[in-house]
Amino acid sequence: MIINTGGRTDSVQYYTKWLLKRFKEGYVFTRNPLFPNKINRYELTLDKVDCVVFCSKNYKPVLNDIKTITDKFNTYFHYTITAYGKDIEPGVPDIDESIETLIKLSEIVGKKRVSWRYDPVLLTEKYTIDVHKKTFEYMAAKLAPYIDRCIFSFVEMYKKLQSNMPEIIPFGTEDMCVIAEILGGIAAKNGMYIQTCGTNGDFSQYGIHKSGCTTLDILGEANGVEFKTLKHKGMRQGCGCIESRDIGAYDTCLNGCKYCYANKNPVKAFENYKFHNPNSPLLLGDVKETDIITQGAQRSFLKRTSVQGQLTIE
């Protein structure tokens, strides 16, 4: 199975001690978002976890300890760095600090395991197409030598976003094509592989590939292992990723990004943070007497099993 640490919250940045302890102790509990009294247990052991996928906007808190995980597990790191400032991403470091941290991460884990996510791409009166062009060009020149690929997507205009970010200017097809052509051209100039994920539309004429951001091919190539040939169901429309199990919780990310789908609102996340116990197997709170704990299914996708870089036939 694939473990995802950052789909529901930025556990790397805000729950670092908890995350490291879960891997040290070898298991984690996650509450079912729809049925809060139901808890799944997942073993965080080499025989049960094929790959650990990280997604964060700030890896700085975990840099000194990340090898305790990478030395044991297959891993892949999505690092989100966008053009936006504190007005949209209040809890995220500035661009130059983020670039510096990504470079350090890449030097530790290897560039094949690191992707740069420039998403979501959105437009406002402040963040215009020209701003995206200048910012992406600046970042691409610095990051290209340290990443496996760049992944971008256009913002999804879900209902909650209309109230959280009324300043967003809706995309037209022409705008998308203009931006895709700009990003594709800059990527080519810097010898950088670029793709979309979770975005409908064919932008291949601009040198942009279409794929899931977390496919077995990507994870296998990054770690030198071979996976089975399996259908990638994806997590939502337009997504071509392999299924994974997220160990985080909604309404817990303190980044406060206005476009975030995982928080109802930033206030709720800060309220929930008060219930975080770094020593609990749950991200929020502790196990209650009324909770029902079930062992989660952990089906392996590996064709061959990797043990410290060695391959063993099944």
Side-chain angles (χ1 to χ4, degrees):
M1 71 172 292
I2 310 299
I3 287 289
N4 189 320
T5 72
R8 296 175 179 175
T9 192
D10 197 332
S11 58
V12 168
Q13 181 169 194
Y14 296 109
Y15 303 96
T16 316
K17 291 182 179 179
W18 175 84
L19 186 65
L20 291 169
K21 186 162 187 175
R22 295 318 335 127
F23 279 97
K24 183 178 180 180
E25 295 191 351
Y27 74 100
V28 66
F29 288 172
T30 63
R31 287 195 183 276
N32 187 313
L34 300 178
F35 305 97
N37 69 315
K38 293 185 178 181
I39 294 174
N40 280 326
R41 172 180 171 132
Y42 295 110
E43 307 306 316
L44 300 180
T45 54
L46 190 58
D47 60 321
K48 296 293 185 182
V49 175
D50 298 329
C51 188
V52 183
V53 177
F54 296 85
C55 190
S56 176
K57 295 179 179 177
N58 183 10
Y59 281 88
K60 193 171 184 178
V62 81
L63 287 181
N64 290 337
D65 300 291
I66 195 61
K67 285 183 70 65
T68 62
I69 298 176
T70 59
D71 284 352
K72 183 177 181 182
F73 294 96
N74 297 317
T75 51
Y76 197 78
F77 300 83
H78 294 290
Y79 202 136
T80 302
I81 311 176
T82 69
Y84 316 121
K86 299 291 185 181
D87 54 326
I88 292 183
E89 299 176 340
V92 179
D94 65 36
I95 289 173
D96 287 317
E97 183 180 346
S98 296
I99 288 173
E100 182 181 344
T101 302
L102 184 148
I103 291 172
K104 289 179 180 178
L105 174 68
S106 179
E107 290 173 343
I108 294 170
V109 306
K111 66 174 289 184
K112 283 189 175 181
R113 292 184 182 183
V114 181
S115 75
W116 166 34
R117 301 190 68 102
Y118 186 79
D119 68 341
V121 176
L122 56 84
L123 295 176
T124 68
E125 290 186 2
K126 178 179 179 179
Y127 298 102
T128 61
I129 291 177
D130 189 54
V131 168
H132 280 292
K133 179 180 183 297
K134 291 177 180 178
T135 310
F136 188 80
E137 194 164 32
Y138 174 78
M139 289 194 279
K142 292 180 176 292
L143 294 176
Y146 300 97
I147 60 172
D148 170 54
R149 65 191 60 219
C150 175
I151 301 165
F152 80 95
S153 65
F154 294 107
V155 70
E156 183 178 346
M157 294 298 294
Y158 53 89
K159 187 176 181 179
K160 185 170 61 177
L161 190 60
Q162 296 173 7
S163 57
N164 289 354
M165 280 200 74
E167 67 268 34
I168 280 187
I169 300 172
F171 274 111
T173 302
E174 184 177 347
D175 289 331
M176 289 185 179
C177 288
V178 169
I179 291 174
E181 184 175 11
I182 289 171
L183 301 189
I186 293 171
K189 178 182 176 181
N190 288 277
M192 184 174 66
Y193 184 98
I194 187 169
Q195 68 167 80
T196 57
C197 182
T199 289
N200 293 320
D202 181 3
F203 304 104
S204 57
Q205 62 181 309
Y206 308 120
I208 294 171
H209 304 266
K210 184 176 182 180
S211 168
C213 62
T214 307
T215 67
L216 294 180
D217 284 343
I218 292 173
L219 301 182
E221 185 176 345
N223 291 280
V225 297
E226 191 174 353
F227 286 94
K228 300 172 184 176
T229 301
L230 298 171
K231 183 178 180 181
H232 290 49
K233 298 178 181 179
M235 307 301 289
R236 63 187 187 280
Q237 185 180 6
C239 176
C241 297
I242 191 66
E243 64 180 273
S244 62
R245 296 292 178 267
D246 198 305
I247 62 174
Y250 292 115
D251 294 315
T252 60
C253 186
L254 306 184
N255 280 329
C257 301
K258 294 176 72 174
Y259 53 75
C260 182
Y261 64 87
N263 280 352
K264 291 178 181 177
N265 61 69
V267 174
K268 182 69 173 177
F270 280 91
E271 290 175 351
N272 283 337
Y273 187 75
K274 299 174 185 177
F275 299 103
H276 174 61
N277 175 5
N279 297 312
S280 171
L282 289 162
L283 185 72
L284 287 186
D286 298 282
V287 178
K288 304 173 184 176
E289 291 184 1
T290 53
D291 288 330
I292 301 171
I293 302 174
T294 304
Q295 185 68 46
Q298 296 187 252
R299 178 171 68 102
S300 178
F301 301 146
L302 280 171
K303 188 174 182 180
R304 290 179 285 179
T305 305
S306 173
V307 181
Q308 294 295 332
Q310 298 180 347
L311 298 177
T312 305
I313 303 294
E314 284 184 334

